[in-house]
Amino acid sequence: MNIILTNFCQVLAVFVIFIGVTKALIIFLKYLLFKPPTPEGFHKSRLAMGYSFSLGLSFLIGASILNTMISSKWDDIARLIVIIAIRTVLNYFLMQAIDNSGESASLNSKQITDLKPNIQQINS
């Protein structure tokens, strides 16, 4: 039963990552082909892919925990600790990049909004 759950978590991780990459590609192509070139499409596609990677990593961590429950050798437990630590650090930095990307996008829109009155005054 544990092997089935482990495989199910791994399949879910692959599925979530595949859907995220596909969604990011669609968003990027939509902005590339149908809208004027702006960094907004790139940021939105990166965010979509980043969220799916984060969720996929969480499923893989769960699969690793389930897999270690089957065999309780010290080598397997140590390997699990290292895998979870690496995936947690990757997930942390991924979420930091997503948060920074959201902040920079909101700053750019705020800067554009702040510039509009100045541009109108120059044109007057």
Side-chain angles (χ1 to χ4, degrees):
M1 181 65 174
N2 217 0
I3 294 172
I4 294 171
L5 285 174
T6 301
N7 289 336
F8 183 69
C9 284
Q10 290 172 341
V11 168
L12 277 176
V14 170
F15 179 72
V16 165
I17 291 172
F18 176 76
I19 294 296
V21 168
T22 304
K23 183 178 175 183
L25 182 62
I26 290 170
I27 291 169
F28 181 73
L29 289 176
K30 183 176 89 173
Y31 273 86
L32 183 68
L33 299 175
F34 301 114
K35 296 193 178 186
T38 61
E40 182 183 2
F42 181 71
H43 287 296
K44 285 187 176 183
S45 64
R46 279 186 64 207
L47 285 174
M49 196 164 46
Y51 285 128
S52 69
F53 282 171
S54 177
L55 183 59
L57 279 172
S58 297
F59 279 123
L60 289 174
I61 288 172
S64 296
I65 291 170
L66 289 171
N67 195 23
T68 302
M69 287 174 50
I70 295 171
S71 98
S72 58
K73 298 177 190 171
W74 285 106
D75 291 342
D76 294 334
I77 293 171
R79 190 174 309 127
L80 173 68
I81 291 170
V82 170
I83 289 171
I84 288 176
I86 290 171
R87 289 182 181 165
T88 302
V89 168
L90 285 174
N91 198 18
Y92 173 77
F93 285 121
L94 182 61
M95 292 309 290
Q96 289 293 324
I98 288 171
D99 289 343
N100 290 340
S101 177
E103 288 174 10
S104 67
S106 66
L107 282 176
N108 287 339
S109 65
K110 184 181 181 308
Q111 289 169 347
I112 290 171
T113 306
D114 291 343
L115 286 177
K116 284 182 182 178
N118 294 337
I119 292 173
Q120 290 174 349
Q121 288 174 355
I122 293 172
N123 290 336
S124 302

